[in-house]
Amino acid sequence: MKEPEAASVEMICSVSELANLFHQGQDLRGFLSQVVQIVSKHMQADVCSIYLFNEQSEKLILQATAGLNSEMVGTLTLNTGEGLTGLALKELRPIREGRGRDNPYFKPIPGSGEEKYESFLAVPIIRGIRRVGVLVLQDEKRSRFSKGDALALKAIASQLAATLENAQLLMERPRRGEHPGISWGTGRLIRGTQVVEGVALGEAYQMEGPGTLDHRLYACDDAYRDTLDDFRRAIDLTEQQLEELQNRLEQELADVASLIFSAHLLMLRDQGFSGTMEDRIADGARPCDAILSVANEYIDIFTESENSRMREKVLDIKDLGHRILKNLTDEEGEHGDYDGQIVLTNELLPSELLKLAAQKVEGIVLFGGGATAHVTVLAQSLQVPLIYTEDESIFRIPANTPLALDANQGILLVYPDESAIKRIRQLKEGTDRIAGLAEMAKPESYTKDGERIYLRATVNLLSDLKLARQLKAEGIGLYRSEFPFLIRSDFPSEEEQFRIYKKVVNGLEDPLVTLRTLDVGGDKILSYIPESQEEANPFLGLRAIRFLLENKKVFVGQLKAMIRAGRSRPIRILFPLISSLDDFQNAKIIVQKSLNFLKRDGLGQYPMPKLGAMIELPSAVEMAPELAREADFLSLGTNDLVQYMLGVDRTNEKVADLFDVRHPAVLRAVKRVADSAKEADCPLSVCGIMAKDPKTVHYLIGLGVREFSLEAAKIPEMQEAVSRMDLKKAQSDAAILSRLGTLHETREFMQEINERSEVQIER
Ligand code: PEP
Ligand code: MG
């Protein structure tokens, strides 16, 4: 038999070609039978069969076979858990037997012709929360299938899953004249793109952001007969709940959540708001109608405002009105929370997201990719599963409709059936296993052949530090300092910043801390700087270090706070979006000035901290040799590097396919930076998208990079992947990759690397 590695690569290529054929409208059965022919040929197995799972009947149906009796196609059915094939689906794991009949679950199927086959290998085909089917190999010889074969078959199953899922849906679709009840499952599937991974079950909550026509609250039920006393109780209860929420947030998210519910609280006690409601009730209006009418009047006024910050308040009023109404009409009192709800919306502001997360929202579906990059990052830190969708029908889903969200696959299921709910619960248990991950994490990371690799944490919020500690991050490779600036309505004071940075600096046992200076501009707009909203091309505008060099007071304030926070431990300060040596030198002058100010003001004498430049622009790549000599360290920001190298907006869904880290220009740029750092003996760390994908980490290790900064939650799996990497192999792969000239070739080569177990995340 061929080496499994080589066989699988070859086979996967053929199978993916077939998947393309299928998309071009090939006959379904013909497609499936070609798949089984190819797989059986490449795996040199006597039999290959595909069973697809019918969600309506809950049965597996044989849909194609090479080797078994072909007359059974379409008629042979198995229950979940029936026989070894059913067992693979039930337990969602590969079943590999040297002699199938030795397994107590073995159940020969009369007439299938399988009696003579001894070896058995089945892998489930899963697509997110959907069980799609089972791929089975059989062979006359005993103990024919190795662990490597199981891995290869798993890779094929995942490669084919999307196409087979479509096949499954098409095969289950009711045909003309058939009973309408025989449809594919009870659920309707809405597709989107993953923004923050995770899964959720909940009921629909239509939020509607500013910009939509209808943010008004709905009419009251005629049955409500509440009194003025009930209204006052509802107001008191609302105030109490908001204060509790505020306190909880201040503890959990001290850096960003200061007074986040202040608008709610101020409004609640405002005479024009609750006072007018009271007046109308005193004049005979039902409390429910009074709340509705006043809240809606405010909503109308704020919606029409010229001022964007006023318009942002519409959602606060809606949220507040919703909460008061709930407290008035529901007896238990525990309301206004988003616990058990999946929010559907067309816009999401960072403050809104924080409020939703604080109120325990299960997940979010965002129409039209309306979230900016910092909302995405924030949602990641808050661990709220989130997808984008272009499907407008989400707004027609009635409130409280049961939903299942699989953000990992970018899928929303409306009215999920039992099997989807069960699967989501299983996945949720899987993702809730931080304790397991913590046990798995080791304090240090090494490649298979003992090369030391440093996996540091990227920290966005103070709340990320706990996970970074639990998962044994080796210091902080990147602290994004902008969140305290983004959520507030004015610049945080130097004192406020100092308190936050101190917590970051002392957050981990490992003393390495990299504080990045403010990266605002681009899509990270500070609502209190109106000029920043007027740029035609904000990503090419006054962003990051450019903003700070123009706003020296803000720069000095931040640097002083950072330097003071580093009193007990040395810190590294990192400047984002450096485009020239001059930028770096100018920033360094401001650091020196900040040190002088601290000394002059009697706030202490500090040594010059280590200063680093982020390499994110093609101009910085070009200047990397000089920057590496000038700076104390370099940090390669690969999210922006890809954006600016390829001219592809990282936040624009329409060009998301073009945002490809495997582009030869990106791979070569990264190599130039790695070579320059090596040459100047300057420490280089990589952060952003390339630091969290084992394939690109393999490439980077091959280039000589040893430090990576990534979200703490990803560290244990990356550590595991790194421990299977071989330095020599990584070096030879990197040498090949950096010479390839087309995206087609780099993609193929990366795919090949991906098929090898050393760069796959083991689940
Ligand atoms: C990057 O650009 O890769 C990076 C880490 O910075 P940010 O995502 O904050 O722009
Ligand atoms: Mg960046």
Coordinates of all heavy atoms in Angstrom, one line a residue, residues 373 377 458 460 478 480 482 516 519 524 543 576 614-616 635-641 650 687-690, ligand 1:
A373 N -14.0 46.2 12.8 CA -13.0 45.2 13.3 C -13.0 45.2 14.8 O -12.8 44.2 15.4 CB -11.7 45.6 12.7
V377 N -13.3 42.0 17.4 CA -12.3 41.7 18.4 C -12.9 41.7 19.8 O -12.7 40.8 20.6 CB -11.1 42.7 18.4 CG1 -10.2 42.5 19.5 CG2 -10.4 42.5 17.1
T458 N -2.5 37.5 23.1 CA -3.0 38.8 22.6 C -4.1 39.2 23.5 O -5.0 38.4 23.7 CB -3.5 38.7 21.2 OG1 -2.3 38.4 20.3 CG2 -4.2 39.9 20.7
N460 N -7.0 41.9 24.7 CA -7.9 43.0 24.3 C -8.5 43.7 25.5 O -8.6 44.9 25.6 CB -8.9 42.6 23.3 CG -8.4 41.9 22.1 OD1 -7.4 42.4 21.5 ND2 -8.9 40.8 21.8
L478 N 0.9 41.1 22.7 CA 0.2 42.3 22.2 C -0.9 42.6 23.1 O -1.8 41.8 23.3 CB -0.3 42.0 20.8 CG -1.2 43.1 20.2 CD1 -0.4 44.3 19.9 CD2 -1.9 42.6 18.9
R480 N -3.8 45.3 23.0 CA -4.5 46.4 22.1 C -5.1 47.4 23.1 O -6.1 47.1 23.7 CB -5.6 45.7 21.3 CG -5.1 44.8 20.2 CD -6.3 44.5 19.3 NE -5.9 43.8 18.1 CZ -6.1 42.5 17.9 NH1 -6.6 41.7 18.8 NH2 -5.8 42.0 16.7
E482 N -6.7 50.1 22.6 CA -7.7 51.0 22.2 C -9.1 50.9 22.8 O -9.9 51.8 22.8 CB -7.9 51.1 20.7 CG -7.9 49.8 20.0 CD -6.5 49.2 19.6 OE1 -5.5 49.8 20.1 OE2 -6.4 48.3 18.9
R516 N 0.7 48.0 23.3 CA 0.7 48.7 22.0 C 0.0 50.1 22.2 O -1.0 50.2 22.9 CB 0.0 47.9 21.0 CG -0.1 48.7 19.6 CD -0.7 47.8 18.5 NE -2.1 47.8 18.6 CZ -2.9 47.1 17.8 NH1 -2.4 46.4 16.8 NH2 -4.2 47.2 17.9
D519 N -4.3 52.4 18.6 CA -4.5 52.2 17.2 C -5.9 52.5 16.9 O -6.8 51.6 16.8 CB -4.2 50.7 16.8 CG -4.3 50.4 15.3 OD1 -4.7 51.4 14.6 OD2 -4.1 49.3 14.9
K524 N -11.8 52.0 13.5 CA -11.9 52.2 14.9 C -12.1 53.7 15.2 O -11.1 54.4 15.4 CB -10.7 51.7 15.6 CG -10.5 50.2 15.4 CD -9.2 49.7 16.1 CE -8.8 48.3 15.7 NZ -7.4 48.1 16.0
R543 N -4.6 57.2 11.0 CA -4.7 56.0 11.8 C -3.5 55.7 12.7 O -2.4 56.1 12.2 CB -5.0 54.8 10.9 CG -5.4 53.6 11.6 CD -5.5 52.3 10.7 NE -5.3 51.2 11.6 CZ -5.1 49.9 11.3 NH1 -5.2 49.6 10.0 NH2 -5.0 49.0 12.2
P576 N 2.0 51.0 16.4 CA 1.3 50.4 15.3 C 1.4 51.2 14.0 O 1.6 52.4 14.1 CB -0.1 50.3 15.7 CG -0.3 51.4 16.7 CD 1.1 51.6 17.3
M614 N 5.6 48.0 14.6 CA 4.8 47.0 14.0 C 5.0 47.1 12.5 O 5.0 48.1 11.9 CB 3.3 47.2 14.3 CG 2.9 46.7 15.6 SD 1.1 46.5 15.9 CE 0.8 44.9 15.2
I615 N 5.2 45.9 11.9 CA 5.4 45.9 10.4 C 4.0 45.4 9.9 O 3.6 44.3 10.0 CB 6.5 44.8 10.0 CG1 7.8 45.1 10.8 CG2 6.7 44.8 8.5 CD1 8.5 46.3 10.5
E616 N 3.3 46.4 9.3 CA 2.0 46.1 8.8 C 1.8 46.7 7.4 O 0.8 46.5 6.8 CB 1.0 46.8 9.7 CG 1.1 46.3 11.2 CD 0.0 46.9 12.1 OE1 0.1 48.1 12.5 OE2 -0.9 46.2 12.4
S635 N 7.2 43.6 15.5 CA 6.0 42.8 15.6 C 5.3 42.8 14.3 O 5.0 43.9 13.8 CB 5.2 43.3 16.7 OG 3.9 42.8 16.7
L636 N 5.1 41.7 13.7 CA 4.5 41.6 12.4 C 3.0 41.5 12.5 O 2.5 40.4 13.0 CB 5.1 40.3 11.7 CG 5.0 40.2 10.2 CD1 5.6 41.3 9.4 CD2 5.6 38.9 9.8
G637 N 2.3 42.5 12.2 CA 0.8 42.5 12.3 C 0.2 42.0 11.0 O 0.0 42.7 10.1
T638 N -0.1 40.7 11.0 CA -0.4 40.1 9.7 C -1.8 40.4 9.2 O -2.1 40.3 8.1 CB -0.2 38.6 9.8 OG1 -0.9 38.0 10.9 CG2 1.3 38.2 9.9
N639 N -2.7 40.8 10.1 CA -4.1 41.3 9.7 C -3.9 42.4 8.7 O -4.4 42.5 7.6 CB -5.0 41.7 10.8 CG -5.2 40.6 11.8 OD1 -5.2 39.4 11.4 ND2 -5.5 40.9 13.0
D640 N -3.2 43.4 9.2 CA -3.0 44.6 8.4 C -2.0 44.4 7.2 O -2.2 44.9 6.1 CB -2.5 45.8 9.2 CG -3.7 46.5 9.9 OD1 -4.7 46.7 9.2 OD2 -3.7 46.7 11.1
L641 N -1.0 43.6 7.5 CA 0.0 43.3 6.4 C -0.8 42.8 5.2 O -0.5 43.2 4.1 CB 1.0 42.4 6.9 CG 2.1 42.1 5.8 CD1 3.1 43.3 5.8 CD2 2.9 40.9 6.0
R650 N -9.9 44.6 5.1 CA -10.0 43.4 6.0 C -11.4 43.3 6.5 O -11.8 42.3 7.1 CB -9.0 43.4 7.1 CG -9.1 44.6 8.0 CD -7.9 44.7 8.9 NE -8.1 44.2 10.3 CZ -7.3 44.4 11.3 NH1 -6.2 45.1 11.1 NH2 -7.6 44.0 12.5
C687 N 1.9 38.4 15.1 CA 0.5 38.4 15.6 C -0.5 38.5 14.5 O -0.1 38.6 13.3 CB 0.3 39.5 16.6 SG 0.7 41.2 15.9
G688 N -1.8 38.5 14.8 CA -2.8 38.5 13.8 C -3.1 37.2 13.2 O -2.7 36.1 13.7
I689 N -3.7 37.2 12.0 CA -4.2 36.0 11.5 C -3.2 34.8 11.2 O -3.5 33.6 11.4 CB -5.0 36.3 10.1 CG1 -5.8 35.1 9.6 CG2 -4.1 36.9 9.1 CD1 -6.8 35.5 8.5
M690 N -2.0 35.2 10.9 CA -1.0 34.1 10.6 C -0.5 33.5 11.8 O 0.2 32.4 11.8 CB 0.2 34.7 9.7 CG -0.3 35.0 8.3 SD 1.1 35.8 7.4 CE 1.8 34.4 6.5
Ligands
PEP1 C1 -2.6 43.1 12.9 O1 -2.8 44.0 12.1 O2 -2.3 41.9 12.6 C2 -2.8 43.3 14.4 C3 -2.5 42.3 15.2 O3 -3.3 44.4 14.8 P1 -4.9 44.8 14.7 O4 -5.6 43.5 14.3 O5 -5.2 45.3 16.0 O6 -4.9 45.8 13.6

